[in-house]
Amino acid sequence: MNGVHDMGGLENLGPIAPEPDEPVFHTAWEARVHALTVASPTRRNIDEGRHQRELIPGPQYLAMSYYEKWFTALCALLVKHGHATPHEIAAGKAAPDSPKAEPLLTAAVVAERMGRAGSYVREAAAPQFAVGDTVKTRQLNPHGHTRLPRYARGRQGVIVATHGAHVFPDSHAHGQGEDPRPLYTVRFPARELWGEAANPKDSVRLDLWEPYLERS
Amino acid sequence: MALRVKALESLMVEKGLVDPAALDALVDHFEHKVGPRNGARVVARAWSDPAYRTRLLADATVAIAELGYAGGQGEHVVAVENTPSVHNLVVCTLCSCYPWPVLGLPPVWYKSAPYRARAVIDPRGVIAEFGTDLPEDVEVRVWDSTAEIRYLVIPRRPAGTEGLDEAALAALVTRDGMIGTALL
């Protein structure tokens, strides 16, 4: 989806404003939104969560704080998956006939679960490309979730690393299964992306799934 | 927002979707258990132990786990090393991807529109705003975290630190140094 979240290459969005001695969370509610999102049954699909934040309409997306976006997306996902109704969320109270679930994450397992290395690598068909191959990104403009930014579409690059097959967000975000596809790191010269004014030594590297690429 | 979040938490607890004690434990984890001190230990070890540095550059996920750090948003970590001729900068233009187990949660500026937008098109300008003018002949590599690979920059070890032990070295390593917006 060509949304405002896909902002690589834009300018004039305001100053980058580092805050000295920034706290992890600025308010207690930010910490709770983060924890609710991580503990929620909807967290099982991280790609769907990312896409839900992208679905916040552009002007609001740009105006909201980071955790306002997380809160908005969490509420939407709870409704989408039938865990709650908008009325219940507004009221902060379950409907009388509401079913009771079992939390996925209990306090006893948080430390173990947070310290456990999961993996997005899956078995899949052998990769078509190898390190050193020149590839071109496809000119894709899907209406759903994708991790191929606009600034890197239709551009030529070189494969610099292969990572096996990873869960494919373009499918997974939409409930179409994990659909694992080979994942590559692709190096694009800065001049290929931004033109002759860019430093000829510089490059941008992106991690891109095979369906984004064609041989060049 | 505070009231709306409180209402949502009450609802999710009532419905059995979350355990309030687990929420407390998660907040504690992200406020106290993860953060750039973890990454600083990794960097200091790489500076002091050539065999560890080799393992870190070969498979950072495994090398980082040796020091006890693993978990969500650190499933697949790649360490990229700054040298006199190469400087690395990490961004996530599409959202806010960041290596939680070694750096903790990202600062607001990293997640902000201006950084996400400009890091890929004007990395030298961004780094200059953070206080460093990179020479023209230094190669800048920007890593846009578009998948579940997370990047950790190994900054250059400051001159004159030959006699320091790992703990003293780790104290020199900054969060921004491990993102690549700053040099040490």
Side-chain angles (χ1 to χ4, degrees):
Chain A
M1 186 183 71
N2 292 343
V4 297
H5 69 281
D6 183 1
M7 56 181 65
L10 294 183
E11 296 187 290
N12 199 33
L13 289 175
I16 299 168
E19 176 187 341
D21 301 317
E22 182 177 334
V24 176
F25 300 109
H26 286 77
T27 61
W29 71 260
E30 289 190 348
R32 297 317 268 188
V33 167
H34 185 268
L36 286 167
T37 301
V38 170
S40 170
T42 53
R43 182 67 173 178
R44 280 180 288 202
N45 189 332
I46 197 166
D47 297 304
E48 184 181 40
R50 287 199 185 107
H51 187 52
Q52 195 65 51
R53 291 191 280 274
E54 294 167 3
L55 287 171
I56 296 169
Q60 294 168 46
Y61 183 98
L62 291 172
M64 282 180 176
S65 77
Y66 185 71
Y67 287 111
E68 283 172 343
K69 284 184 279 224
W70 276 49
F71 174 79
T72 302
L74 176 59
C75 293
L77 285 174
L78 290 169
V79 171
K80 178 180 174 187
H81 288 281
H83 295 300
T85 66
H87 180 75
E88 287 176 318
I89 289 171
K93 188 89 191 103
D97 53 351
S98 170
K100 177 105 174 158
E102 276 300 317
L104 288 178
L105 202 58
T106 59
V109 303
V110 163
E112 182 269 331
R113 198 71 66 80
M114 288 299 108
R116 186 200 294 169
S119 177
Y120 291 91
V121 174
R122 302 289 185 270
E123 288 295 317
Q128 279 188 48
F129 305 118
V131 170
D133 285 357
T134 299
V135 293
K136 191 175 179 190
T137 49
R138 295 176 190 273
Q139 187 50 258
L140 301 169
N141 287 277
H143 297 300
H145 184 59
T146 187
R147 297 293 287 182
L148 174 59
R150 269 177 296 171
Y151 78 84
R153 293 177 190 166
R155 305 292 179 178
Q156 189 169 282
V158 174
I159 307 264
V160 293
T162 60
H163 300 287
H166 280 228
V167 175
F168 186 42
D170 303 44
S171 300
H172 193 224
H174 296 286
Q176 295 161 8
E178 294 189 331
D179 190 19
R181 304 300 182 103
L183 180 71
Y184 307 91
T185 304
V186 185
R187 171 173 55 81
F188 298 90
R191 287 192 163 182
E192 169 72 6
L193 300 174
W194 313 114
E196 293 303 307
N199 186 304
K201 296 183 88 79
D202 296 353
S203 60
V204 182
R205 289 136 198 263
L206 294 87
D207 295 320
L208 301 175
W209 282 263
E210 197 165 276
Y212 300 161
L213 305 174
E214 58 194 18
R215 201 169 290 280
S216 179
Chain B
M1 278 305 294
L3 288 177
R4 293 172 70 195
V5 174
K6 204 173 177 63
L8 182 67
E9 180 174 337
S10 300
L11 176 69
M12 289 180 75
V13 169
E14 185 186 357
K15 283 177 168 273
L17 296 169
V18 292
D19 168 8
L23 301 177
D24 294 339
L26 282 168
V27 172
D28 179 63
H29 177 81
F30 287 102
E31 284 193 325
H32 303 297
K33 303 292 195 305
V34 293
R37 291 301 96 213
N38 296 1
R41 268 193 72 207
V42 172
V43 170
R45 176 68 56 89
W47 284 346
S48 349
D49 179 346
Y52 184 78
R53 172 182 166 273
T54 302
R55 293 201 296 285
L56 183 67
L57 292 174
D59 188 338
T61 316
V62 170
I64 287 166
E66 278 181 40
L67 299 192
Y69 310 130
Q73 295 303 300
E75 290 88 351
H76 309 283
V77 186
V78 169
V80 292
E81 187 179 45
N82 289 345
T83 70
S85 57
V86 174
H87 183 84
N88 294 281
L89 179 72
V90 181
V91 64
C92 173
T93 61
L94 294 173
C95 52
S96 54
C97 296
Y98 195 71
W100 291 3
V102 280
L103 295 188
L105 297 179
V108 167
W109 64 259
Y110 180 89
K111 305 177 287 193
S112 72
Y115 180 72
R116 286 165 54 189
R118 281 183 54 212
V120 285
I121 188 171
D122 184 23
R124 290 168 185 272
V126 168
I127 293 164
E129 280 185 27
F130 278 81
T132 303
D133 285 312
L134 287 175
E136 286 290 309
D137 61 346
V138 169
E139 174 189 347
V140 176
R141 297 178 181 173
V142 181
W143 302 82
D144 188 356
S145 315
T146 42
E148 297 297 342
I149 315 282
R150 297 289 166 267
Y151 292 93
L152 177 70
V153 176
I154 311 297
R156 290 174 64 196
R157 181 172 174 162
T161 58
E162 291 74 17
L164 298 184
D165 65 12
E166 264 185 56
L169 288 172
L172 302 175
V173 182
T174 63
R175 177 197 66 202
D176 293 359
M178 293 181 282
I179 298 171
T181 48
L183 275 65
L184 304 186

